[in-house]
Amino acid sequence: MEFLKRQYALCGQFFREKLLRRALWCLAAFAAAGLLAGLLCPQEWAAAMQECFAEALQQGELLDEQGGIRMPELFLHNARTVVSAALAGLVPFVFLPAAILLLNGGLVGVVLSLYGKSAWKVLLLGILPHGIFEIPAIVLGCAMGLLLCRSVMDSLRKKPGAQPLEKLFPALLRVFLCYCVPLLLAAAAMESWVTPLCLGLLGPFGGGAGVGI
């Protein structure tokens, strides 16, 4: 127990000092990307993207025979997304984690745009039940990726005060295990068991609104 407390204490200190500001900016960018994509994306494109998303769910074997979402597969899928966002920071100068962040935010906005005036209902019942856990995990993964990208750039430039990568990686891994994994487990459970029940409140209209991020 003392070991666990120690890890969370170290994780909290690192988060406050290195990640909090980046995470807040990432969250704002995520929301802005969703809003702009929802307003600007043509309906035909939005419908085509939703069909592609549904096909990807089927091909990725995230759905069971009854059309429900498999929690373990969903957790692993989202964990890979977060890890990919963080490790994308190893590529210097191009800030790939920002592209992953904007893409995910944009996809949410595009899907919501299909439901017009009822989009707020889909947001509240179809996305927020699991999104309140999943979105922070993705945002945190992208923030870690941006920090890693900056550290790689500083190291390549031999900038004074650059954080050694051999010290940064353990700290990032600690954040992933202490923060991201619990968030993703909660998100997978909510999306598998609670979100479908919430969408049922929308009636037939909400049948196709089971979107995941």
Side-chain angles (χ1 to χ4, degrees), residues 72-108:
E73 286 82 354
L74 179 62
F75 167 75
L76 292 175
H77 169 79
N78 291 336
R80 284 194 295 267
T81 299
V82 172
V83 171
S84 298
L87 294 182
L90 287 171
V91 181
F93 304 110
V94 292
F95 294 99
L96 286 177
I100 296 175
L101 177 78
L102 297 176
L103 175 61
N104 278 276
L107 285 175
V108 175

Side-chain angles (χ1 to χ4, degrees), residues 17 52 54 65 108 117-118 166 193:
E17 293 177 356
C52 292
E65 294 77 6
V108 175
K117 295 181 180 180
S118 298
E166 60 271 19
W193 302 326

Side-chain angles (χ1 to χ4, degrees), residues 14-29 95 101 139-140 142-151 154 163:
F14 178 79
F15 174 78
R16 291 188 296 272
E17 293 177 356
K18 301 293 185 179
L19 289 176
L20 179 57
R21 183 179 300 178
R22 285 182 173 85
L24 292 175
W25 278 110
C26 285
L27 182 59
F95 294 99
L101 177 78
V139 165
L140 193 52
C142 293
M144 289 192 290
L146 292 175
L147 173 61
L148 180 58
C149 185
R150 172 58 64 183
S151 299
D154 289 345
Q163 187 167 10

Side-chain angles (χ1 to χ4, degrees), residues 49-59 63:
M49 291 176 67
Q50 189 184 41
E51 290 182 7
C52 292
F53 180 78
E55 292 177 2
L57 283 178
Q58 293 285 357
Q59 296 174 359
L63 302 181

Side-chain angles (χ1 to χ4, degrees), residues 5 21-22 44 50 90 101 125 178-179 199 209:
K5 289 181 179 179
R21 183 179 300 178
R22 285 182 173 85
E44 296 79 8
Q50 189 184 41
L90 287 171
L101 177 78
L125 298 175
C178 291
Y179 288 173
L199 285 172

